[in-house]
Amino acid sequence: IIDLEGIREVLKQEKAKWYARMEAQYYPEMVLVYGGSYNIGRVRKTLKVEKQLNGNVVLLTDFFIGNTPITFFQYGLFCLKTRISIPPDSGFGRGKRPVILICWFEALAYCNWLSKTYRKQPFFFFTSETEVKVDWDANGFRLPTEAEWEYAAREKGKDVLFANVKEYADPQEINFNGEYISNSLEEYANFTKMGLNRRSTTPVKLFSPNALGIYDMSGNVWEWCWDEFTEHIMYNYRYKDPKGPESSSSNSKVIKGGSWINSGHECRCTIRFGDPPGFQSYNVGFRVVLT
């Protein structure tokens, strides 16, 4: 019998630099985000579209978040270890590109596997195919709450529009469809540069991160969050560490950040949509969090 854990420990000690590079490729690199308070869902008091969101002030404690969306390298290792099929790549390529065509439930399963791999307590418990409960006292990996996701994208809640802390979306700096502005509001034109449409995902870390060292939170792929999607953001939340529902059903889940197929204004930090938890798409992925 091959002692894989023993081999892993030897490599950690004797090939430390090589092992660190391997882990960075096949396991998510986590960034510590110090907690604080901010106005979720609303920036730029003079910006009409942001005023319409009417966000609430929330207070978050410290958490870790993946510095990139989960890649095909990372999700592929999970597939190999658990003997499930690697999802299609829609012809974009795999490797360091964000994994796509992953539903919300599959993202939770990856989080649980990652927790067990690192000998942490799993967060999620499937009571049926469409019902999931969560243990908020667990120390394992999970999806970010919407509040955590946006707080990290906005560099701890700063008054910024895009996750690379720029005043506008530039297709040379964010992966989005720069060929059009899809909304008739002239106000959007002030925050979007026209230009390149790559028509696919791009490898993570291709563009500059924000000051926290977090990449790709505007554009490339939408990212699943734990929360159920509601029309009015945070309408029924406690304001300290809002966690959303204690269990889930077939209700739509929040996705954040925009994607390669969307126009620039749809890649703002505050943008939010919802998809059913069983939904899979070539422009939706996810990243992970540790409490």
Side-chain angles (χ1 to χ4, degrees):
I1 299 175
I2 299 175
D3 182 8
L4 294 178
E5 286 300 320
I7 293 173
R8 184 178 178 181
E9 290 304 315
V10 170
L11 289 173
K12 272 186 177 181
Q13 296 175 17
E14 298 185 4
K15 301 285 186 180
K17 290 184 179 180
W18 175 86
Y19 190 85
R21 289 197 300 270
M22 183 194 75
E23 285 227 313
Q25 180 164 278
Y26 289 99
Y27 295 93
E29 183 179 348
M30 308 301 289
V31 173
L32 174 59
V33 181
Y34 290 103
S37 62
Y38 79 112
N39 193 306
I40 184 171
R42 181 176 176 181
V43 297
R44 302 302 163 87
K45 294 179 180 179
T46 59
L47 185 58
K48 182 193 302 182
V49 66
E50 301 296 347
K51 277 186 174 181
Q52 294 169 353
L53 293 172
N54 294 322
N56 296 316
V57 175
V58 296
L59 175 65
L60 299 177
T61 52
D62 302 349
F63 60 95
F64 289 89
I65 191 168
N67 71 345
T68 70
I70 295 300
T71 65
F72 268 103
F73 270 143
Q74 294 161 353
Y75 194 84
L77 180 61
F78 159 65
C79 293
L80 292 172
K81 291 283 189 178
T82 57
R83 298 183 180 182
I84 62 175
S85 298
I86 297 175
D89 63 4
S90 290
F92 303 155
R94 291 191 170 97
K96 294 183 178 180
R97 295 173 188 261
V99 68
I100 53 174
L101 292 163
I102 295 299
C103 75
W104 188 81
F105 295 115
E106 291 167 318
L108 302 192
Y110 174 85
C111 290
N112 277 355
W113 170 81
L114 197 61
S115 296
K116 292 176 182 177
T117 299
Y118 280 95
R119 299 178 182 176
K120 294 182 178 292
Q121 300 162 315
F123 249 84
F124 305 110
F125 300 90
F126 287 82
T127 56
S128 71
E129 290 186 359
T130 60
E131 189 75 16
V132 180
K133 293 187 179 296
V134 63
D135 178 7
W136 289 102
D137 293 324
N139 65 354
F141 291 84
R142 57 180 173 83
L143 292 182
T145 64
E146 181 176 7
E148 289 169 332
W149 191 100
E150 187 176 317
Y151 183 74
R154 289 170 54 186
E155 287 188 359
K156 299 194 295 183
K158 289 181 180 178
D159 189 31
V160 296
L161 291 176
F162 299 98
N164 61 354
V165 203
K166 293 294 180 71
E167 296 298 311
Y168 48 81
D170 185 340
Q172 297 296 331
E173 300 173 339
I174 295 174
N175 185 20
F176 68 92
N177 181 358
E179 290 184 340
Y180 77 108
I181 297 175
S182 64
N183 195 293
S184 60
L185 287 176
E186 293 182 3
E187 188 173 28
Y188 283 129
N190 298 326
F191 302 100
T192 302
K193 281 191 173 182
M194 304 293 286
L196 183 65
N197 178 11
R198 296 177 180 84
R199 294 181 171 83
S200 73
T201 59
T202 50
V204 299
K205 296 187 177 182
L206 183 64
F207 307 106
S208 299
N210 66 16
L212 302 180
I214 306 173
Y215 297 80
D216 296 292
M217 295 193 86
S218 283
N220 216 2
V221 291
W222 291 98
E223 298 181 15
W224 289 112
C225 293
W226 164 252
D227 312 53
E228 288 187 3
F229 179 76
T230 56
E231 182 179 354
H232 300 291
I233 188 169
M234 309 289 285
Y235 79 107
N236 60 350
Y237 282 30
R238 296 175 299 231
Y239 296 143
K240 183 177 180 180
D241 290 323
K243 296 179 174 64
E246 292 301 314
S247 64
S248 73
S249 60
S250 59
N251 294 337
S252 291
K253 309 303 173 186
V254 172
I255 55 173
K256 295 282 286 182
S259 77
W260 61 269
I261 203 172
N262 297 104
S263 56
H265 74 268
E266 293 173 311
C267 298
R268 303 188 318 277
C269 296
T270 54
I271 200 74
R272 61 195 302 272
F273 284 105
D275 281 324
F279 178 74
Q280 298 172 326
S281 177
Y282 54 21
N283 68 333
V284 178
F286 70 104
R287 74 178 70 216
V288 298
V289 155
L290 273 173
T291 300

